[in-house]
C-alpha cells in the first residue's frame, strides 16, 4: 500500500518538486520567530484584562495554573496595549500564508504509514497532531474573532488561551527537535548558493535515515513532476501574500489617512463620520440598546458606591468637580486602535476619594446602562484607578461625548485594553470586588 502512488500514504503520490528541506526550513524558521512573538503578545494581552481581578473580567476555569505569570498591567507607556495587541493581530494575519505554505510543504508526512513504528515515533506524531491542530485552531479562532465581531461571546478568551498553551507546548517540542537542522539546511544553502532547486545528495525519499536515526517520511518527491515555479519563486509568492495581508491590515492600528488602507480589518478602517467625535466606534449606542431617554440630564445619575455610602451625581454636578485632560488612545483586542484622543472629565482617584478612599485608591467595579452584552461591566485595578490620567470622561476633543462614544460618561484608562474603557457608565463601586 505504501508504494501505490494513487494513495496519499505513498511518497510517489506527492509530486511537487518544490517540497524539500530547504523550503520547509526557511518557512519553519520564520514561524519560529513569528509564533514566539504571537505567544508572548497573546499572554501579555490576557494579563492586560486583569483576569485575576474579578469574574466579570474573566471566567476562564482553572486558569490558576496557566495564569502563573499574571501581573498588574501597568498604565504606561499609554500606547502599550495599542502596540502589543496591534502587533499580535497584524503579525498573526501576516503569518497566515507562511503557516499554510509550511503545512503544505510537510503534508506528505501527515499521511505517512505505518502510523507509528515505535513509541518515540508515536509520540512524535501525536505532538505533530497537536502542533498542526493547535496552530490551525489558534489562527482560525483569532481571525474569526476579529472578522465576525465576537462570534464566541464570552468564550473566546478561554478557547484561544488554552489553545495557545497546547499549540505552544507542541511548537516548542517541535522547534527543539527541528530548529538546529533547519538552521544547518538554510546555512548550507546560503554557503553553496545557487538556485536551491535540486536537493542532490541530500535527497530524502522514503525510507531515508536522517540524523536522529529515525526513518524520515521524506519531503522530497521520489518522482517529481515538472516544476512550474522555482523554490525561491514560491517563497516570493508566500512573502508577497504576507505583504499583501500586512498592508491591508496594519492601517487599523494607525491614525490619519493611512487608516483607509485597512481593507481587511472590519472595524479598523470604516469611516466614523466627521467632527471631534469622528474616531473609531466599535459598538453604537443603538447596538448596545442604550436609548436617549436613559441618558438625558433629568434622568441619568452616576451612582458612586464606597465606604462613605452611596452618592448620586448628575452630569452637571460631575462637571463642577475638578476637570482634567488626558491624551489617550483606545486599543481593542481585535487589533484596531485610535490615535490619541483628548479626553476631559473627572479623575477616577478623585471619585475614589468621594467614595471614602482618601489614601491609596482601591480596585473599581464599573457598570454601564447597558442591560445585555459581555462588556457592559468591567473591573479596574487599584494602580489603574490611582493613575492621574485615568478619567471618567465627559468630553472628548473639546465636545461632549457623542452617544456612540459613551455619553453621558465613559471610562478611559492609559495602556488598558478598550474593553475596560466602559461606555455609558451608570455605577462605580470602589473597594472589595
Ligand atoms: N458599555 C459598553 N462599553 C464598552 C463596550 C461595550 O460593548 N459596552 N465595548 C468595549 C470595547 S470591546 C471597546 S474596544 C471599546 C471601543 O470603544 P469605541 O466603540 O468608543 O471606539 O469600548 C468598550 N466599552
Ligand atoms: Mo474591544
Amino acid at each position: 500500500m505504501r508504494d501505490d502512488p494513487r494513495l496519499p500514504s505513498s511518497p510517489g503520490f506527492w509530486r511537487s518538486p518544490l517540497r524539500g528541506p530547504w523550503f520547509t526550513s526557511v518557512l519553519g524558521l520564520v514561524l519560529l520567530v513569528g509564533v514566539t512573538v504571537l505567544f508572548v503578545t497573546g499572554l501579555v494581552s490576557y494579563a492586560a484584562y486583569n483576569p485575576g481581578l474579578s469574574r466579570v473580567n474573566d471566567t476562564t476555569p482553572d486558569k490558576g495554573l496557566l495564569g502563573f505569570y499574571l501581573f498588574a498591567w501597568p498604565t504606561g507607556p499609554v500606547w502599550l496595549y495599542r502596540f502589543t495587541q496591534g502587533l499580535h493581530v497584524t503579525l498573526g494575519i501576516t503569518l497566515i500564508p507562511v503557516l499554510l505554505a509550511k503545512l503544505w510543504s510537510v503534508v506528505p508526512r501527515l499521511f505517512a504509514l505505518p502510523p507509528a513504528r515505535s513509541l518515540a515515533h508515536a509520540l512524535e506524531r501525536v505532538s505533530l497532531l497537536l502542533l498542526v491542530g493547535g496552530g490551525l485552531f489558534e489562527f482560525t479562532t483569532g481571525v474569526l474573532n476579529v472578522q465576525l465581531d465576537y462570534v464566541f461571546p464570552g468564550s473566546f478568551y478561554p478557547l484561544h488561551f488554552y489553545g495557545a498553551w497546547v499549540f505552544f507546548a507542541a511548537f516548542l517540542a517541535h522547534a527543539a527537535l527541528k530548529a538546529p537542522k533547519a538552521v544547518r539546511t538554510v546555512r548550507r544553502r546560503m554557503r553553496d548558493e545557487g538556485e536551491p532547486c535540486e536537493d542532490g545528495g541530500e535527497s530524502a525519499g522514503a525510507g531515508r535515515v536522517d540524523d536522529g536515526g529515525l526513518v524520515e517520511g521524506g519531503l522530497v518527491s521520489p518522482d517529481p513532476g515538472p516544476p512550474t515555479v522555482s523554490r525561491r519563486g514560491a517563497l516570493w509568492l508566500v512573502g508577497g501574500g504576507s505583504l499583501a495581508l500586512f498592508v491591508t491590515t496594519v492601517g487599523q492600528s494607525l491614525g490619519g489617512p493611512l487608516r483607509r488602507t485597512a481593507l481587511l480589518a472590519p472595524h479598523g478602517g470604516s469611516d466614523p463620520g466627521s467632527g471631534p467625535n469622528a474616531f473609531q466606534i466599535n459598538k453604537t449606542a443603538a447596538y448596545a440598546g442604550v436609548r436617549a431617554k436613559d441618558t438625558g440630564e433629568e434622568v441619568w445619575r452616576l451612582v458612586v458606591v464606597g465606604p462613605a455610602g452611596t452618592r448620586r451625581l448628575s452630569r452637571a454636578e460631575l462637571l463642577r468637580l475638578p476637570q482634567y485632560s488626558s491624551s489617550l488612545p483606545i486599543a481593542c483586542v481585535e487589533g484596531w486602535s485610535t490615535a490619541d484622543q483628548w479626553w476631559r472629565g473627572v479623575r477616577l482617584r478623585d471619585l475614589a476619594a468621594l467614595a471614602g478612599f482618601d489614601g491609596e485608591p482601591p480596585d473599581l467595579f464599573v457598570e454601564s446602562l447597558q442591560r445585555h452584552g459581555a462588556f457592559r461591566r468591567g473591573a479596574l485595578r487599584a494602580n489603574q484607578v490611582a493613575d492621574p490620567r485615568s478619567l471618567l470622561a465627559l468630553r472628548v476633543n473639546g465636545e461632549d461625548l457623542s452617544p456612540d462614544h459613551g455619553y453621558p460618561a465613559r471610562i478611559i484608562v492609559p495602556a488598558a485594553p478598550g474593553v475596560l474603557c466602559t461606555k455609558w457608565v451608570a455605577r462605580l463601586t470602589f473597594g472589595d470586588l
Side-chain angles (χ1 to χ4, degrees):
M1 189 154 91
R2 262 179 69 77
D3 299 324
D4 183 344
R6 283 169 309 178
L7 296 176
S9 54
S10 154
F13 177 86
W14 306 96
R15 300 200 54 206
S16 170
L18 290 178
R19 289 201 181 85
W22 183 79
F23 193 62
T24 297
S25 296
V26 172
L27 297 170
L29 291 176
V30 172
L31 287 176
L32 176 64
V33 178
V35 168
T36 304
V37 174
L38 286 183
F39 185 66
V40 172
T41 49
L43 290 192
V44 150
S45 172
Y46 188 64
Y49 277 82
N50 295 335
L53 195 56
S54 156
R55 290 187 63 74
V56 163
N57 286 15
D58 179 58
T59 53
T60 308
D62 295 324
K63 64 177 172 275
L65 200 59
L66 296 178
F68 69 91
Y69 70 92
L70 293 175
F71 53 96
W73 186 249
T75 53
V78 297
W79 42 263
L80 184 62
Y81 192 73
R82 198 178 173 204
F83 175 74
T84 62
Q85 194 58 12
L87 180 60
H88 185 76
V89 172
T90 307
L91 180 63
I93 289 173
T94 303
L95 284 179
I96 289 172
V98 184
L99 179 81
L100 295 179
K102 173 72 165 60
L103 289 178
W104 174 85
S105 80
V106 294
V107 79
R109 286 206 177 146
L110 294 182
F111 289 93
L113 286 175
R117 288 183 300 271
S118 64
L119 186 60
H121 185 233
L123 285 176
E124 195 200 321
R125 291 201 77 170
V126 169
S127 83
L128 275 187
L129 275 188
L130 292 177
L131 179 70
V132 173
L136 289 176
F137 181 81
E138 286 302 280
F139 277 80
T140 310
T141 49
V143 168
L144 283 179
N145 195 53
V146 169
Q147 285 292 329
L148 300 184
D149 200 13
Y150 313 109
V151 264
F152 324 90
S155 63
F156 170 73
Y157 305 110
L159 288 177
H160 205 62
F161 180 69
Y162 288 132
W165 280 103
V166 172
F167 173 45
F168 200 69
F171 178 81
L172 273 188
H174 184 74
L177 284 173
K178 306 283 181 182
K181 196 169 164 218
V183 170
R184 277 202 305 279
T185 305
V186 173
R187 278 237 180 96
R188 191 175 326 132
R189 286 294 165 203
M190 278 158 58
R191 213 176 43 227
D192 300 352
E193 230 352 81
E195 176 67 9
C197 233
E198 292 301 323
D199 274 281
E202 194 196 0
S203 178
R208 195 179 80 89
V209 176
D210 78 1
D211 305 357
L214 285 172
V215 181
E216 210 173 39
L219 290 175
V220 177
S221 173
D223 176 23
T228 45
V229 57
S230 71
R231 286 215 173 111
R232 202 154 277 175
L235 268 195
W236 278 110
L237 255 151
V238 175
S242 284
L243 187 68
L245 287 175
F246 176 81
V247 298
T248 46
T249 301
V250 69
Q252 69 170 338
S253 310
L254 308 172
L258 283 178
R259 211 175 170 79
R260 293 177 193 282
T261 60
L263 302 173
L264 289 185
H267 304 289
S270 55
D271 186 358
S274 60
N277 273 276
F279 57 96
Q280 185 58 43
I281 294 159
N282 214 20
K283 293 200 197 96
T284 60
Y287 179 96
V290 173
R291 295 156 303 183
K293 70 176 178 61
D294 301 321
T295 58
E297 252 334 298
E298 298 305 316
V299 274
W300 183 82
R301 295 291 177 270
L302 175 73
V303 182
V304 180
V305 184
T310 300
R311 301 201 41 178
R312 301 173 152 271
L313 298 158
S314 70
R315 199 163 186 279
E317 286 170 313
L318 283 168
L319 281 166
R320 281 198 293 273
L321 295 174
Q323 304 290 300
Y324 294 91
S325 303
S326 309
S327 251
L328 298 174
I330 290 189
C332 180
V333 66
E334 296 174 343
W336 64 263
S337 56
T338 70
D340 289 358
Q341 310 294 329
W342 191 61
W343 307 92
R344 201 160 161 78
V346 184
R347 279 182 174 162
L348 291 184
R349 56 195 260 183
D350 290 354
L351 291 167
L354 208 68
F357 289 92
D358 287 328
E360 279 301 292
D363 298 336
L364 166 61
F365 177 45
V366 182
E367 293 165 277
S368 77
L369 286 173
Q370 206 182 330
R371 291 206 186 83
H372 307 283
F375 307 133
R376 67 187 195 279
R377 311 177 293 185
L380 295 171
R381 263 184 210 282
N383 68 319
Q384 294 172 315
V385 178
D387 193 296
R389 295 166 296 187
S390 299
L391 301 179
L392 179 73
L394 305 168
R395 298 167 63 81
V396 66
N397 300 328
E399 262 190 16
D400 279 343
L401 293 172
S402 69
D404 288 342
H405 278 304
Y407 182 90
R410 92 173 292 169
I411 298 286
I412 184 84
V413 172
V419 65
L420 295 180
C421 298
T422 310
K423 304 197 271 190
W424 315 293
V425 172
R427 192 181 177 94
L428 301 177
T429 307
F430 290 92
D432 290 338
L433 298 183

